[in-house]
Amino acid sequence: MARRVIRDAIARLRTAEGPIAFEFFAIEEDAPAFAEWLASHQWPVMGSGGVLWVEAGRCVAREIAAGQAGVEGIVRGTEALWGETAPLPL
C-alpha cells in the first residue's frame, strides 16, 4: 500500500503545474545496509512504509507510514518543504 501511495504522490508532484525539482530513492527497508545507513546519520529506523525527506544530507521531515498519510499527505509534506510557497531557510 505504501509503495502505491508514494508512486502516486511522485507522479502527481512531477506533473503538477510548477513541479518541484526533486530526486526520489526507494530503499528496501529490510536491507541491513539501510539500517546501517540510518544509524550512520543518527536517523530513526522507521519500518515499512516510512518516508524521509532529506536535503543537503540532513533529514528535514519524516512520515512514519506513507499508507496512513496518503497521497495528499505526501504531496502536502513535499510542497511544504520545497514548493513555491515554502518558507525560505533562515
Side-chain angles (χ1 to χ4, degrees):
M1 178 179 182
R3 290 177 190 201
R4 180 183 48 80
V5 166
I6 295 297
R7 184 181 57 242
D8 292 350
I10 290 168
R12 194 142 142 220
L13 286 162
R14 293 210 189 270
T15 59
E17 188 174 318
I20 299 169
F22 67 94
E23 294 295 327
F24 167 78
F25 302 93
I27 300 172
E28 196 62 41
E29 63 269 5
D30 295 333
F34 177 62
E36 291 174 23
W37 181 74
L38 283 174
S40 74
H41 289 85
Q42 299 176 342
W43 295 338
V45 175
M46 305 207 9
S48 181
V51 178
L52 294 175
W53 283 270
V54 179
E55 181 175 43
R58 199 175 112 238
C59 180
V60 294
R62 65 184 168 144
E63 179 62 57
I64 299 299
Q68 289 179 345
V71 173
E72 286 297 321
I74 300 302
V75 168
R76 277 194 312 268
T78 305
E79 289 175 338
L81 290 166
W82 300 299
E84 286 185 48
T85 59
L88 295 174
L90 300 175

